[in-house]
Amino acid sequence: MTDGTPLLPREEYDKLETRLQHATSGFVDEPRASVEEADQALEEITARFTEALNQRRRTLRGSWQGDESTSDTEQLRLALRDYRELADRLLRV
């Protein structure tokens, strides 16, 4: 279930945000180094969100896949709702 739960833990989000702010604040003194640091920070952010989304998809998939005889309509309805909620959250970014 997605239920609006953040994709990343708050501590991890804060760490990544701090890293990007650090890159921005150093621009005046070292523009190239700042841009390189921002590039690396964005690469890490992208990797972490991709990992988190893949884990969320595995969890969702596990909620409805398997023996078709045990997947009742209510389980499928809830899975579809959770997929839709997660997709909506991503599209609003």
Side-chain angles (χ1 to χ4, degrees):
M1 180 188 302
T2 56
D3 67 19
T5 305
L7 290 173
L8 298 178
R10 186 68 192 173
E11 314 80 58
E12 191 168 353
Y13 174 87
D14 290 343
K15 178 185 142 205
L16 293 167
E17 185 176 44
T18 299
R19 191 167 168 208
L20 194 54
Q21 287 173 350
H22 182 267
T24 304
S25 67
F27 183 79
V28 172
D29 295 327
E30 297 184 52
R32 180 170 296 279
S34 291
V35 172
E36 288 171 354
E37 187 176 355
D39 179 66
Q40 292 169 358
L42 184 59
E43 182 177 11
E44 185 177 343
I45 290 166
T46 302
R48 285 298 299 125
F49 271 101
T50 299
E51 183 181 316
L53 283 169
N54 285 334
Q55 178 58 45
R56 188 69 59 95
R57 282 188 63 223
R58 283 190 293 274
T59 300
L60 282 170
R61 201 175 303 122
S63 73
W64 65 270
Q65 277 188 334
D67 183 9
E68 287 187 31
S69 64
T70 61
S71 295
D72 67 14
T73 304
E74 181 62 11
Q75 285 176 305
L76 295 172
R77 185 188 72 74
L78 292 172
L80 183 59
R81 180 201 64 193
D82 292 343
Y83 276 109
R84 180 58 193 235
E85 181 181 307
L86 182 56
D88 285 347
R89 287 176 59 199
L90 291 173
L91 292 171
R92 280 184 264 145
V93 172

